């Protein structure tokens, strides 16, 4: 019987332990916290969007970094497999808008308990409050870990420590250190799926305003870096919500070096000509009213003072006094509400970490290190990240499954311990 040591009791670590134990391995999981799955517990505001029930061909466009590396693992264990897996663990599931899969109870604890029950049944040894300090090597092979002043020997070591996001859950980047000490290269790390900061003083005035069905575009001069339709939220520092989080994964690297221009199309369903025609109709209905009094027909109340300020049209001006040039400028403003992005928020607010163990140094079929035999990786510690919608947790399940199959096959071939 092979003995596998798993560092990290989060999503990837727990799943890897189950998959490896189901293949006959004796598995030990080392978790520095007092309980398993602390980050998983708060995922999706506690609801745990654990996968996305889309087809594989629709999955990969949602992967931001190194999608090709995931072909083998995702086709080997896809979202349908993940849903079946958790149903078999006794977790009733449901699929909502956008193919997002959740526990039917809307409680992330069901996912965690399902994994815990399975580990207990399979005899997985859980070491809580046990921080791993070092990966041990012998004869150019990972063979154990040093933790809590003791040395634990095994046939293989799997690093599933996650990233740096949500440090309150214990995320400290230890996995990156382990990888570097074993000869691996760590690509640049940054918070991702994270709110964005803006420069203009009128942005904090919009705090709390949520806009649906708008289009956010981020550009560097004329070069478009991101453009997507959806929902965003103004905050005291900038913008948050689904559009902002998605944008951060594409422009975060650039924001480390320079400011970027952002535009919100407040009426993406209308062309400029169609919007101009609509504004004209409002003008015709309210020819003698003040300009500010027709705006509630077009925009949320909280946005109106800022729109007036940026348009340069006096709010108390009579509609019939608004010139054609002013009206056309107003339409352009509604189609491209401007502000400047200056950076991202930190890891405390980031859903995931972008960057990690270079996938060039990892076998995509088995997740084994190409540098140190017997060393495996799974989940967020790798340089893999995707958009919101359950895709990042699916990466955790898929890479955990590939690692479990790879390490048990390898240790079985060696004859076990």
């Amino acid at each position: 019987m092979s003995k596998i040591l798993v560092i990290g009791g989060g999503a990837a670590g727990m799943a890897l332990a189950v998959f490896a134990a189901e293949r006959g391995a004796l598995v030990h999981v080392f978790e520095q916290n007092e309980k398993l799955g602390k980050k998983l517990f708060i995922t999706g505001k506690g609801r745990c969007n654990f996968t996305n029930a889309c087809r594989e061909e629709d999955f990969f466009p949602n992967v931001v970094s190194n999608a090709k590396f995931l072909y083998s693992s995702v086709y080997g264990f896809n979202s349908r497999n993940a849903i079946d897996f958790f149903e078999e663990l006794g977790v009733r599931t449901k699929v909502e808008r956008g193919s997002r899969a959740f526990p039917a109870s809307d409680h992330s604890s069901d996912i965690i308990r399902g994994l815990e029950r399975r580990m207990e049944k399979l005899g997985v040894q859980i070491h809580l409050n046990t921080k791993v300090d070092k990966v041990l090597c012998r004869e150019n092979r990972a063979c154990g870990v040093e933790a809590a002043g003791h040395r634990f020997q095994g046939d293989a070591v799997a690093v599933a420590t996650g990233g740096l996001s949500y440090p309150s859950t214990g995320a400290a980047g230890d996995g990156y250190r382990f990888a570097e000490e074993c000869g691996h290269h760590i690509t640049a790390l940054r918070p991702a799926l994270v709110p964005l900061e803006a420069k203009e003083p009128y942005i904090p005035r919009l705090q709390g305003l949520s806009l649906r069905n708008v289009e956010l575009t981020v550009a560097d001069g004329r070069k478009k870096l991101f453009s997507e339709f959806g929902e965003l939220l103004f905050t005291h520092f900038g913008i948050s919500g689904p559009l902002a989080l998605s944008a951060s994964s594409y422009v975060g690297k650039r924001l480390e070096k320079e400011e970027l221009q952002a535009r919100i199309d407040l009426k993406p369903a209308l062309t400029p000509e169609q919007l101009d025609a609509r504004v004209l109709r409002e003008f015709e209905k309210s020819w003698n009213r003040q300009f500010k009094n027709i705006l509630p027909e077009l925009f949320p109340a909280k946005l109106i003072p800022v729109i007036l300020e940026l348009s340069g049209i006096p709010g108390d001006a009579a509609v019939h006094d608004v010139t054609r040039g002013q009206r056309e400028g107003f339409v352009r403003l509604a189609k491209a509400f401007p502000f400047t992005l200056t950076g991202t928020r930190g890891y405390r607010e980031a859903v995931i970490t972008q960057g990690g163990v270079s996938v060039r140094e990892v076998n995509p079929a088995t997740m084994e290190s190409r540098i140190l035999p017997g060393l495996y990786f799974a989940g967020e510690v790798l340089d893999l990240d995707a958009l919101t919608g359950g895709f990042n947790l699916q990466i955790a399940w898929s890479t955990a499954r590939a690692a479990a199959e790879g390490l048990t096959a390898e240790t079985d071939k060696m004859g076990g311990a």
Side-chain angles (χ1 to χ4, degrees):
M1 177 183 290
S2 57
K3 184 177 180 181
I4 310 301
L5 309 182
V6 179
I7 309 174
M14 287 190 289
L16 198 163
V18 169
F19 295 141
E22 287 179 338
R23 294 174 66 89
L26 173 61
V27 183
H28 289 253
V29 176
F30 298 86
E31 170 54 51
Q32 65 179 345
N33 289 312
E34 75 285 359
K35 59 184 177 181
L36 299 172
K38 288 192 75 171
K39 183 179 177 182
L40 190 58
F41 183 74
I42 62 175
T43 297
K45 298 180 180 178
R47 295 184 65 213
C48 195
N49 175 198
F50 71 91
T51 190
N52 191 286
C54 64
R55 298 174 300 177
E56 287 88 341
E57 54 265 39
D58 298 320
F59 179 90
F60 294 109
N62 288 281
V63 179
V64 177
S65 304
N66 300 309
K68 290 183 179 179
F69 176 84
L70 287 165
Y71 285 178
S72 177
S73 60
V74 169
Y75 278 106
F77 191 82
N78 59 29
S79 61
R80 293 182 297 279
N81 299 139
I83 291 171
D84 290 344
F85 171 67
F86 284 106
E87 289 277 355
E88 291 168 3
L89 295 186
V91 181
R92 290 181 55 246
T93 65
K94 61 180 178 180
V95 177
E96 297 185 355
R97 179 175 56 88
S99 299
R100 299 175 182 226
F102 296 86
S105 65
D106 286 329
H107 295 311
S108 57
S109 55
D110 284 2
I111 296 289
I112 298 168
R113 287 171 185 155
L115 290 165
E116 287 178 327
R117 286 194 302 268
R118 187 61 176 157
M119 285 190 287
E120 183 178 3
K121 185 175 181 180
L122 291 167
V124 174
Q125 302 296 304
I126 308 295
H127 305 264
L128 298 176
N129 297 304
T130 305
K131 182 178 175 63
V132 172
D133 299 309
K134 186 178 181 180
V135 172
L136 303 176
C137 303
R138 184 176 63 246
E139 298 178 356
N140 195 37
R141 181 178 178 85
C143 65
V145 301
E146 187 174 296
H150 296 87
R151 291 195 167 199
F152 299 83
Q153 299 296 324
D155 297 303
V157 177
V159 178
T161 49
L164 292 167
S165 57
Y166 293 123
S168 61
T169 64
D174 288 343
Y176 306 131
R177 176 173 60 82
F178 300 147
E180 283 188 312
E181 290 173 350
C182 292
H184 278 272
H185 172 247
I186 306 301
T187 61
L189 303 171
R190 65 183 60 86
L193 296 182
V194 65
L196 299 169
E197 297 180 340
K199 176 191 289 186
E200 285 73 14
Y202 55 78
I203 295 297
R205 289 161 52 192
L206 299 173
Q207 180 179 356
L209 174 62
S210 178
L211 297 177
R212 295 188 177 187
N213 303 320
V214 296
E215 184 176 40
L216 173 66
T217 299
V218 182
D220 175 14
R222 293 186 177 181
K223 184 179 180 182
K224 189 181 294 185
L225 304 175
F226 173 86
S227 186
E228 193 171 302
F229 177 86
E231 180 179 351
L232 63 79
L233 172 70
F234 288 102
T235 70
H236 66 283
F237 56 77
I239 57 172
S240 187
L243 281 178
L245 300 190
S246 294
S248 73
S249 289
Y250 290 99
V251 306
K253 183 177 181 179
R254 296 291 292 272
L255 285 171
E256 292 176 344
K257 302 176 182 178
E258 59 186 317
E259 297 179 346
L260 297 172
Q261 297 78 48
R263 301 287 184 270
I264 301 172
D265 185 343
L266 299 168
K267 301 291 181 182
L270 301 175
T271 66
E273 295 75 19
Q274 290 171 328
L275 180 56
D276 188 44
R278 181 180 173 186
V279 171
L280 272 173
R281 289 196 299 271
E282 295 296 334
F283 276 22
E284 290 168 358
K285 289 191 302 183
S286 310
W287 195 242
N288 294 313
R289 296 176 65 190
Q290 292 183 332
F291 177 65
K292 64 183 179 183
N293 292 330
I294 73 166
L295 297 187
E297 300 295 325
L298 298 168
F299 304 111
K302 199 161 192 174
L303 187 60
I304 290 174
V306 175
I307 286 284
L308 280 171
E309 179 182 311
L310 297 182
S311 72
I313 304 173
D316 57 2
V319 168
H320 62 256
D321 287 333
V322 176
T323 67
R324 178 180 177 179
Q326 287 176 317
R327 189 190 78 239
E328 291 175 343
F330 175 75
V331 169
R332 288 194 295 273
L333 175 62
K335 293 294 290 182
F337 179 84
F339 55 102
T340 307
L341 296 176
T342 59
T344 69
R345 301 294 278 181
Y347 287 111
R348 290 181 181 274
E349 299 174 51
V351 176
I352 57 167
T353 304
Q354 193 169 66
V357 178
S358 173
V359 295
R360 295 182 179 181
E361 301 165 355
V362 178
N363 184 327
T366 64
M367 300 298 143
E368 185 176 20
S369 166
R370 296 186 187 275
I371 293 173
L372 182 66
L375 180 65
Y376 293 75
F377 299 96
E380 192 180 348
V381 71
L382 289 161
D383 183 10
L384 300 167
D385 66 280
L387 301 179
T388 57
F391 302 104
N392 287 289
L393 275 177
Q394 182 59 46
I395 290 174
W397 315 135
S398 295
T399 55
R401 178 59 173 256
E405 292 183 348
L407 62 85
T408 52
E410 175 64 18
T411 53
D412 286 348
K413 186 168 62 177
M414 293 173 56

